[in-house]
């Protein structure tokens, strides 16, 4: 069975006329699916984290939360997993970026 992005409830196909919409259209569906697979693999023993991520994306797609809300919630959800946080930057519109703070060794 071929996977469809819509089946995952993500925001990657969110239609907009803005620069954000144009950037998202340039992203390949495979990029989004690959990222979702990374999330699922990283949290294989915590399926609720993956489901929470999908719920955040659904809220964004329905415009219940804005870009800053997505950034905040994804950063919190993936705390301790900088590879996923940095990887999420690929899907943010121009002018938005999540920076991962390195913990200071004591």
């Amino acid at each position: 069975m071929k996977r469809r992005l819509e089946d995952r409830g993500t925001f990657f196909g969110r239609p907009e006329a803005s620069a954000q919409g144009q950037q998202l259209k340039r992203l390949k569906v495979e990029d989004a699916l690959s990222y979702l697979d990374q999330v699922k693999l990283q949290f294989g023993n915590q399926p609720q984290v993956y489901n929470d991520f999908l719920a955040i994306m659904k809220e964004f797609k329905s415009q219940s939360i804005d870009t800053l809300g997505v950034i905040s919630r994804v950063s919190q959800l993936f705390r301790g997993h900088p590879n996923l946080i940095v990887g999420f930057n690929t899907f943010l519109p121009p002018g938005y970026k999540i920076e991962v703070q390195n913990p200071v060794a004591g």
Side-chain angles (χ1 to χ4, degrees), residues 5 12 28 46 73 77-78 81 103:
L5 197 53
F12 302 109
K28 295 180 181 176
Q46 298 173 280
R73 292 181 64 186
L77 185 65
F78 294 160
H81 300 277

Side-chain angles (χ1 to χ4, degrees), residues 12-58:
F12 302 109
R14 181 177 174 178
E16 291 185 15
S18 67
Q20 176 184 5
Q22 292 170 5
Q23 178 199 14
L24 295 178
K25 287 179 186 175
R26 285 193 300 264
L27 293 172
K28 295 180 181 176
V29 172
E30 293 81 12
D31 294 334
L33 291 174
S34 175
Y35 183 78
L36 289 172
D37 286 341
Q38 288 176 38
V39 172
K40 196 170 195 175
L41 182 63
Q42 183 73 52
F43 295 103
N45 61 342
Q46 298 173 280
Q48 189 58 46
V49 174
Y50 179 77
N51 291 332
D52 289 348
F53 177 69
L54 293 181
I56 293 168
M57 297 300 97
K58 286 178 184 177

